[in-house]
Amino acid sequence: FEEQQPVEVGEDQPQKFDAVVVRRDPTIRNSDLPRIHTEIVGNAILDKLIEKFGETASAIPTIEPGSRPDAGTFLAAIKQMVNLFTLSGFAWEGGASMVQSGSSIKDTQFSIIFTSPATLWS
């Protein structure tokens, strides 16, 4: 598709745009696009929350890659992420809970519910 990208102009000048053709990676199948889009958007939102709140008392608790957190630790991170989503205006309110406890984190089910989310994909 063709995208209009802004060109730098002087402060008192009308904005100008250059037409740029945007091509997606030809190795990506159409059936993979929803999953990839979800990952890209989710990562962008999470990165923004970490950038904004990462060095504050409101930071999402860190779960180190390769670690095996217990369900309570994982739930605390999910709950804080939901709090930051609502604080940032992505939803009116939200909550997270453990629906089913399992013998390991892999067997545990969590639920995240948002009221009046900013988008329909939540």
Side-chain angles (χ1 to χ4, degrees):
F1 69 94
E2 188 172 281
E3 177 179 85
Q4 298 295 318
Q5 295 183 350
V7 176
E8 297 234 3
V9 294
E11 273 190 43
D12 296 330
Q13 301 296 316
Q15 183 64 60
K16 294 183 180 180
F17 297 88
D18 281 341
V20 176
V21 175
V22 178
R23 296 183 203 313
R24 81 163 190 238
D25 182 341
T27 63
I28 297 174
R29 298 180 316 211
N30 284 343
S31 61
D32 291 332
L33 290 176
R35 177 187 54 79
I36 292 169
H37 179 266
T38 298
E39 287 176 14
I40 291 170
V41 171
N43 287 336
I45 292 170
L46 184 57
D47 289 346
K48 193 66 170 176
L49 292 175
I50 291 169
E51 176 186 314
K52 187 172 183 179
F53 298 103
E55 300 297 321
T56 72
S58 298
I60 299 168
T62 302
I63 297 174
E64 295 300 324
S67 68
R68 299 192 185 278
D70 60 60
T73 302
F74 194 71
L75 180 59
I78 293 172
K79 283 183 173 183
Q80 185 57 20
M81 184 178 64
V82 168
N83 289 340
L84 296 180
F85 261 67
T86 57
L87 183 65
S88 298
F90 289 113
W92 181 254
E93 64 183 4
S97 62
M98 192 179 324
V99 176
Q100 181 177 339
S101 182
S103 58
S104 73
I105 191 92
K106 286 191 216 178
D107 302 324
T108 304
Q109 293 181 5
F110 300 92
S111 172
I112 299 173
I113 296 175
F114 287 108
T115 304
S116 298
T119 61
L120 296 178
W121 50 262
S122 56

